[in-house]
């Protein structure tokens, strides 16, 4: 989810957006859905300039004397006490939605008491006048673009940049919002792809920084419910602009993709469609603690970047923010005053060892099922906007867990999905850009989908910047000549899930391009035609159809994460056609390896898989990594996918688990140490993936300590120095096994993809391991 750095300024300038008129028709504003009316904006300012601002289950104090004691009261009863911070502010959290809160600052004769303010309920809907009474600037940046601020329901202002497709008086236009904590509202920097691509397609593009980031006011707190409600207010403000036709969608990759799911949960009345790409489905399980093991590689680095980026004063703040303040932007300067109240994301990361402990407590006031507040998969069924999900199985940042969300949406919500092998930027490849255009044109633009000439001309430069090679183009429009009604009916009748197979191995293209070898479509995920195929772990490192015999010995290994590199990447452009991978072989004695016989037929695998282990240890807990790879007849081995499990997290959620997808509870009350010397059942979930294993290839399963197989994920597994001894049993009473989802797949040819080619699937020479060390079991 790091800021994407693919385009140089020279490329952006050379391919700047022309002012094009929209082809969308004006349809007017839709009426708001019924909801509870909100109280008037709950902000008061006293004679000394102290501002007291009620918010959704929060209350902020600004411009107060530094270091003074501060007391929050309601009807004379003390609720919380604090000290005004070095920026003259304090932000109270976890407050009940009520009127009559007051703030006392100071003591004795200098004590001041505020007028009463109201703390809001998340279910309250602001009056339409909050939105229609605002006008976003669309001219002060030159042409048809402008920078300004929008005001949310609690009085916080968010920084906004708007780029129109033509003059404001030539509208109205459909609009798209990009919303994140990077730099979407920066007039000059940020992630430029959608800002450049969509105005020439007839859409007003609006970049908004979430509270506590950029020049936006408020305090930063990772995906708190208030950010979702700010997004609601931003959507409704955009819809109410005189240049808007009232139809709004959301776009964005990574951070700006994930935020779409959180905003859509709040159901803004004018939000038609979202197009989240390169996303997560569960903050805790998906990226931060996969299998219960702390990801102190990418996840920790990303959290650290957010803390450093958003604090104030800050020499390392985004340059555009410092420039605006230095240039006299008093709103941006004033919006820094709550940065001392940013919730410490690093502390959150370390202090929340299970999903429920990471929930937003303010969310539970209004929505009792608060355990899902940071897991989009758990609230996906509340989303009613149309959805296009795009992701990569081996995404080096957000991972492949996202696909576990697909079947969590309500059946009545239109959800289209594209999944493929690859890295974080696959979601902007030729096929997916066309798919994004189709979703936006049908449900936001309300027109027959057609990729603009500018997008067709600009996109190849984008892909060359990503991969280092050219020759790619967006596929032809699929609905040319159709009426709008026919195109929409056709689109909605199509299968919902598309898998792109072997991206990077397209026939007629250079290896590593953003083009797939083949594609297939399915009605749902998990794929309805899936059948589970089982291979049992056997002696001598074999994977076979039949389980082991009664007295088969167990296999011993001594896991130690220090024996291999923490990652498999040496540096450089991980998104390039041929990244500088360094995928080291497993270490004999510190790992176990199992191999099928050469496959007699090609098999297509798509979905989640399960590695079901019977394991014992001389330790009370341990971290396990499993890896699936393909050993090809030419002696090369290709990475396919991983899974992880901290053994104390082995307890399954029986209601959510299946033969192919073990879903762990991960709750503190269900965590159990293992008893040294006693075998336990531990099922390790493989992240979702799709891969075709060719006839003659062999499927390999390795078991070892975490690390060494991913470019940016690394794990907080301590060195063992060989002191931990694990045994994996595979006799008839303790049948350890690999279970994979077999599906109907396309004909990709008889020969495996060459090395290198398939994106995010590095190869290495297959090294025959030493035989697994067998130990008799009682």
């Amino acid at each position: 989810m790091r800021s994407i750095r693919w385009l140089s300024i020279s490329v952006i300038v050379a391919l700047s957006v022309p002012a094009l008129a929209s082809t969308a028709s004006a349809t007017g504003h839709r009426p708001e859905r019924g909801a509870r009316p909100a109280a008037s904006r709950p902000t008061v300012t006293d004679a000394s300039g102290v501002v007291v601002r009620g918010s959704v289950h929060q209350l902020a104090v600004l411009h107060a004397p530094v270091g003074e004691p501060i007391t929050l009261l309601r009807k004379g009863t003390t609720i919380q006490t604090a000290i005004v911070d070095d920026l003259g502010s304090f932000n109270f959290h976890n407050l009940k939605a009520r009127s009559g809160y007051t703030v006392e600052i100071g003591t004795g004769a200098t004590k001041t008491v505020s007028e009463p303010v109201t703390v809001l309920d998340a279910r309250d809907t602001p009056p339409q006048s909050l939105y229609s009474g605002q006008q976003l600037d669309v001219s002060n940046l030159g042409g048809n673009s402008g920078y300004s601020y929008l005001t949310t329901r609690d009085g916080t202002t968010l920084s906004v940049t708007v780029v129109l497709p033509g003059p404001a008086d030539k509208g109205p236009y459909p609009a798209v919002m990009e919303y994140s904590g990077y730099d979407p509202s920066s007039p000059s920097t940020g992630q430029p792809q959608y800002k450049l691509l969509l105005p020439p397609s007839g859409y007003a593009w609006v970049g908004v920084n979430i509270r506590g980031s950029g020049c936006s006011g408020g305090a930063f707190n990772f995906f708190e419910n208030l950010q979702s409600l700010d997004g609601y207010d931003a959507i409704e403000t955009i819809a109410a602009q005189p240049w808007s036709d009232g139809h709004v969608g959301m776009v964005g990759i990574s951070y700006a993709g994930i935020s779409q799911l959180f905003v859509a949960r709040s159901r803004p009345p004018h939000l038609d469609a979202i197009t989240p790409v390169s996303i997560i489905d569960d903050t805790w399980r998906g990226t931060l603690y996969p299998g219960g093991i702390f990801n102190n590689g990418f996840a920790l680095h990303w959290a650290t970047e957010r803390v450093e980026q958003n604090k104030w004063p800050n020499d390392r703040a985004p340059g555009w923010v410092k420039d605006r303040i230095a240039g006299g932007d008093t709103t941006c300067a004033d919006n820094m005053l709550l940065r001392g109240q940013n919730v410490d994301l690093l502390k959150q990361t370390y202090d929340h060892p299970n999903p429920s402990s990471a929930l937003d407590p303010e969310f539970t006031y209004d929505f009792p099922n608060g355990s899902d507040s940071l897991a989009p998969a758990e609230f996906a069924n509340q989303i009613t906007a149309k959805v296009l999900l795009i992701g990569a199985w081996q995404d080096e940042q957000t991972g492949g867990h996202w696909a576990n969300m697909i079947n969590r949406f309500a059946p009545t919500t239109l959800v289209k999905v594209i999944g493929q092998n690859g890295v974080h930027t696959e979601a902007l490849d030729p096929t997916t850009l066309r798919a994004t255009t189709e979703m936006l044109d049908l449900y936001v633009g309300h027109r027959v989908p057609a990729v603009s000439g500018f997008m067709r001309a600009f996109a190849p430069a984008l892909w060359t910047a990503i991969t280092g090679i050219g020759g790619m183009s967006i596929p032809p429009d699929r609905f040319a000549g159709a009426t709008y009604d026919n195109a929409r009916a056709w689109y909605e009748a199509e299968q919902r899930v598309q898998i792109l197979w072997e991206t990077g191995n397209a026939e007629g293209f250079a290896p590593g391009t953003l083009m797939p070898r083949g594609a297939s479509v399915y009605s749902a995920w998990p794929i309805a035609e899936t059948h589970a195929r089982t291979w049992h772990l056997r002696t001598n490192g074999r994977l076979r159809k039949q389980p082991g015999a009664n007295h088969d010995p167990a296999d011993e290994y001594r896991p130690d994460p220090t024996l291999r590199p923490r990652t498999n990447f040496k540096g450089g452009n991980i998104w390039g056609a041929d990244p500088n991978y360094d995928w080291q072989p497993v270490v004999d004695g510190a790992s176990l390896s199992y191999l099928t016989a050469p496959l007699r037929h090609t098999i297509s695998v798509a979905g989640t898989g399960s590695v079901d282990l019977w394991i014992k240890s001389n330790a009370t807990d341990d971290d396990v990594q499993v890896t699936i790879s393909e050993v090809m007849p030419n002696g090369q081995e290709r990475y396919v996918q991983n899974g992880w499990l901290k053994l104390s997290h082995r307890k399954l959620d029986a209601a959510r688990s299946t033969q192919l997808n073990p879903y762990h509870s991960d709750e503190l009350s269900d965590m159990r140490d293992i008893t040294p010397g006693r075998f336990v059942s531990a099922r390790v979930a493989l992240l979702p993936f799709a891969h075709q294993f060719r006839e003659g290839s062999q499927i390999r399963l390795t078991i070892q300590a975490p690390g060494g197989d991913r470019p940016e994920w690394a794990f907080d597994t301590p060195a063992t120095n060989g002191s931990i001894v694990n045994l994996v049993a595979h006799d008839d009473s303790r049948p350890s096994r690999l279970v994979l989802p077999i599906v109907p797949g396309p004909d990709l040819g008889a020969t495996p993809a060459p090395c290198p080619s398939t994106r995010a699937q590095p190869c290495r020479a297959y090294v025959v391991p030493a035989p697994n060390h067998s130990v008799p079991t009682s």
Side-chain angles (χ1 to χ4, degrees), residues 426-499:
E426 307 311 297
L428 295 171
D429 71 17
T431 302
T432 57
L433 273 184
R434 184 183 68 176
T436 300
T437 297
E438 290 176 351
M439 173 63 75
L440 292 176
D441 281 355
L442 285 171
Y443 299 106
V444 182
H446 293 270
R447 63 196 186 199
V448 176
V451 177
S452 71
F454 179 86
M455 185 179 292
R456 290 192 180 278
F458 173 82
L462 176 70
W463 301 324
T464 299
I466 293 172
T467 65
I469 54 178
M472 295 168 276
S473 61
I474 297 176
D477 294 326
R478 299 193 302 135
F479 301 100
T483 66
Y484 171 73
D485 288 342
N486 286 343
R488 179 166 172 167
W490 178 4
Y491 185 82
E492 293 178 357
E494 291 177 326
Q495 304 274 54
R496 300 293 178 91
V497 177
Q498 182 181 37
I499 293 178

